[in-house]
Amino acid sequence: MSAIGRLVLLYALGAAAVAYSADLTAGFPAAPTDLRLVHPLPIKDASSPRMLDGDELLRIGDIHEVQNHLQEAMPYYQRALTAFRVTKNRRGEAASLMRIGAIQERQGHTRAAMESVTGAVAIFKTLPDKGAYARSLLRLGRLSEILGDRVAAERSYEQALALCRQARDLQAWTEGATLLGNLRIDDGRIEQGLALLDEALTEARRRRDLGQELNALAIIAGAQVRQERLDEARRLYEQALRLAEQQRDQRAEVGIRVALAHLDAALGFHQDGILMAKKALALYQALRDRLREADTLALLGYLHQIQGDLAGAAEHHERALALYRALRDRAREAGSLVNLAVVYDAQGAPEDARETRGKAIVLLQSLSP
């Protein structure tokens, strides 16, 4: 792959991942990312002396989870699990395990999530609802992929797709085809992956599912970057951007804008790249994502540098450096110092460059095992 291809590949694939994240838990409540420390509520209904049953506990847990009250939702799901086991309600037991696994995944407890979802899959396998079984396999495959077991992930996705066809669950099939296509592209089987993604895109458009269309477009665009078809990638990302704006999906929009900024730079449209990156920066600030805000400042520093605006480059790299220090991200802090040293050299300030480069070396040495 050429230097240009490598330049934009990481960011393009990152945008695809951002865009795709919305559908990973389709069919089950998605656990929030904002973990709030709150006290769990009692499981007894305040207006009645009776104990709540499993379905009621799940519904209350879902209400808290939708509001991002993650710590509050978990005990309701756990108690629902217990209630369903007592009454030998296998479907309710599996549904509870899926919800518990979703929260565990968002908490970063991936192996615990894997255990919960594996339990749910085993139960759904014994039930007549093939659609629920297929969706649980999709979650299992996703967790396997996160844990690095790509063979198991592919096996789960393929099994899920077959079940989706039997159940005529086209929404789940499209999600599964997108996941499997993305996995194959990431493994270097680009043509196989694109074939699946083209099918997923066609099906999403047929059902007018804008979210799934957006996901497929973003991943296909990333594949075009891998193949150094940068003009085609830009066209597809622009389509995805319009969909993200239409859906008011800021997370997807900002990731696509970052990918487009890199593509514009690679294609020589430096000013367009700067404008795109500035819009991404404003979005990350609105989302209060300080790490991505700092990354975008570093991107703006690079874009100003290749345009020949060394003062603008230094300003943005210094702002990125300040944020990385505030976030205590020492690896990225070292990277910003290196970026600044390059700019100082270009400005004809070798002493400043040498001192800044020395600080970066000290930081990198401190990170070594």
Side-chain angles (χ1 to χ4, degrees):
M1 180 179 287
S2 72
I4 288 178
R6 288 193 297 271
L7 173 68
V8 295
L9 174 57
L10 177 61
Y11 292 90
L13 295 179
V18 169
Y20 191 74
S21 62
D23 273 355
L24 293 181
T25 55
F28 303 99
T33 55
D34 180 15
L35 311 185
R36 304 185 184 183
L37 297 177
V38 292
H39 296 291
L41 297 177
I43 64 169
K44 185 177 287 189
D45 185 350
S47 64
S48 170
R50 72 177 182 84
M51 298 299 289
L52 298 172
D53 64 26
D55 289 320
E56 290 168 324
L57 288 165
L58 281 184
R59 283 195 293 271
I60 295 171
D62 291 346
I63 290 169
H64 290 306
E65 200 236 12
V66 166
Q67 297 177 63
N68 287 343
H69 298 166
L70 187 65
Q71 299 291 349
E72 200 163 15
M74 183 64 109
Y76 282 104
Y77 291 153
Q78 290 170 330
R79 286 162 180 156
L81 177 62
T82 299
F84 285 128
R85 282 175 172 167
V86 168
T87 59
K88 298 183 179 180
N89 182 332
R90 298 288 280 167
R91 180 176 177 80
E93 181 182 349
S96 301
L97 285 168
M98 291 299 297
R99 285 164 166 84
I100 289 168
I103 291 181
Q104 290 168 328
E105 180 182 353
R106 291 300 183 92
Q107 288 177 319
H109 305 314
T110 309
R111 294 195 182 280
M114 186 76 167
E115 184 178 345
S116 297
V117 173
T118 299
V121 168
I123 295 171
F124 279 128
K125 185 177 181 179
T126 67
L127 301 176
D129 188 344
K130 295 184 185 298
Y133 181 29
R135 288 171 181 268
S136 67
L137 281 167
L138 290 178
R139 180 77 63 78
L140 185 67
R142 176 61 181 163
L143 290 169
S144 297
E145 192 173 346
I146 292 170
L147 290 171
D149 191 345
R150 304 180 72 79
V151 173
E154 184 165 9
R155 185 168 56 245
S156 292
Y157 293 152
E158 288 174 341
Q159 190 177 355
L161 286 179
L163 286 166
C164 288
R165 291 190 188 97
Q166 293 176 35
R168 297 181 181 179
D169 188 339
L170 295 176
Q171 183 183 46
W173 183 89
T174 306
E175 180 188 345
T178 306
L179 281 166
L180 182 55
N182 186 48
L183 177 71
R184 287 177 175 171
I185 287 171
D186 199 36
D187 284 344
R189 292 172 287 166
I190 297 177
E191 294 305 324
Q192 289 182 33
L194 282 174
L196 262 177
L197 283 160
D198 284 340
E199 289 186 60
L201 180 60
T202 299
E203 177 54 36
R205 284 173 169 168
R206 188 189 69 79
R207 289 183 292 103
R208 299 181 181 179
D209 189 322
L210 299 184
Q212 290 191 328
E213 182 181 353
L214 168 61
N215 293 335
L217 275 172
I219 297 171
I220 292 169
Q224 298 304 316
V225 173
R226 279 181 177 270
Q227 296 180 308
E228 300 187 44
R229 300 171 182 168
L230 301 189
D231 288 316
E232 177 64 8
R234 191 173 192 267
R235 185 185 69 81
L236 292 169
Y237 273 130
E238 286 174 343
Q239 287 184 33
L241 179 60
R242 287 193 291 272
L243 284 174
E245 290 174 327
Q246 184 177 344
Q247 291 191 284
R248 298 181 180 179
D249 186 340
Q250 289 187 319
R251 281 287 175 188
E253 178 186 345
V254 72
I256 294 166
R257 286 191 180 280
V258 168
L260 279 168
H262 279 270
L263 280 170
D264 284 339
L267 291 167
F269 307 136
H270 299 153
Q271 191 57 39
D272 289 342
I274 288 172
L275 292 174
M276 193 65 70
K278 284 183 176 179
K279 290 180 180 178
L281 178 64
L283 281 170
Y284 279 131
Q285 289 169 337
L287 292 166
R288 297 181 180 180
D289 188 334
R290 299 184 73 202
L291 179 59
R292 297 305 177 195
E293 178 185 348
D295 288 344
T296 309
L297 284 167
L299 168 59
L300 278 163
Y302 165 75
L303 293 172
H304 279 283
Q305 184 178 342
I306 62 175
Q307 196 180 33
D309 179 6
L310 297 180
E315 176 196 345
H316 286 93
H317 283 313
E318 286 165 359
R319 289 173 61 189
L321 176 61
L323 262 179
Y324 289 140
R325 281 176 173 164
L327 294 167
R328 298 181 180 179
D329 190 325
R330 303 185 76 186
R332 280 182 166 89
E333 180 184 345
S336 272
L337 287 167
V338 171
N339 290 335
L340 275 171
V342 172
V343 173
Y344 293 154
D345 269 329
Q347 288 177 319
E351 289 301 322
D352 289 341
R354 189 176 302 110
E355 180 183 350
T356 304
R357 198 173 289 111
K359 291 177 181 177
I361 292 170
V362 170
L363 266 178
L364 290 171
Q365 288 174 338
S366 73
L367 295 173
S368 299

